[in-house]
Amino acid sequence: MEKYRDVMEQSVELVQTMVEGTSHLQLLLNEGRFEQGIILFEDIMKAYAAIERSITSLLKEVEGKVIDAQLGKIRESMELVLTHFEKKEFGRVKEVVQFNLLPQLKKVEVECSTAFSKYLVS
């Protein structure tokens, strides 16, 4: 598991950054700054893609079925946000971010921290 240590550390940090970014996205949307929100959402999607790519094989090693399932839910929520952004349905974007995406990211943050903690203890 030592070979995955860096991946685990960076994944936990990146999920934390995604939670912070999504909270900021929510603030931008509430302020009506949709263009800035779209740009930030692109960065959030890139971070998600990096996490998904990095930890897929790792999840099999640490029995991360819960994390894997939650990542699927996050992907679905992001697709919804993207669809609503494209249709300029900003009210729906705000709803999906508040009630789906942000809680799901927070859950993955906790799950990753819990699953990886025994391997990251120095």
Side-chain angles (χ1 to χ4, degrees), residues 41-101:
F41 184 66
E42 285 179 35
D43 291 338
I44 294 167
M45 289 190 313
K46 288 176 187 173
Y48 171 80
I51 288 172
E52 188 176 51
R53 214 176 25 251
S54 300
I55 68 172
T56 301
S57 60
L58 170 64
L59 292 178
K60 294 172 188 154
E61 301 275 337
V62 298
E63 297 181 25
K65 291 179 182 151
V66 173
I67 298 170
D68 195 38
Q70 198 63 38
L71 287 174
K73 291 179 183 178
I74 290 171
R75 186 181 325 105
E76 291 171 9
S77 292
M78 293 181 110
E79 289 170 1
L80 273 176
V81 169
L82 188 58
T83 299
H84 292 305
F85 262 134
E86 289 172 345
K87 294 179 180 178
K88 299 191 183 325
E89 297 172 341
F90 301 119
R92 293 287 295 139
V93 171
K94 291 196 289 191
E95 288 175 15
V96 174
V97 168
Q98 180 178 358
F99 297 114
N100 297 81
L101 184 57

Side-chain angles (χ1 to χ4, degrees), residues 11-21 109 113:
S11 295
V12 169
E13 290 172 9
L14 191 51
V15 171
Q16 291 168 346
T17 302
M18 286 179 66
V19 169
E20 292 171 12
E109 179 182 21
S113 295

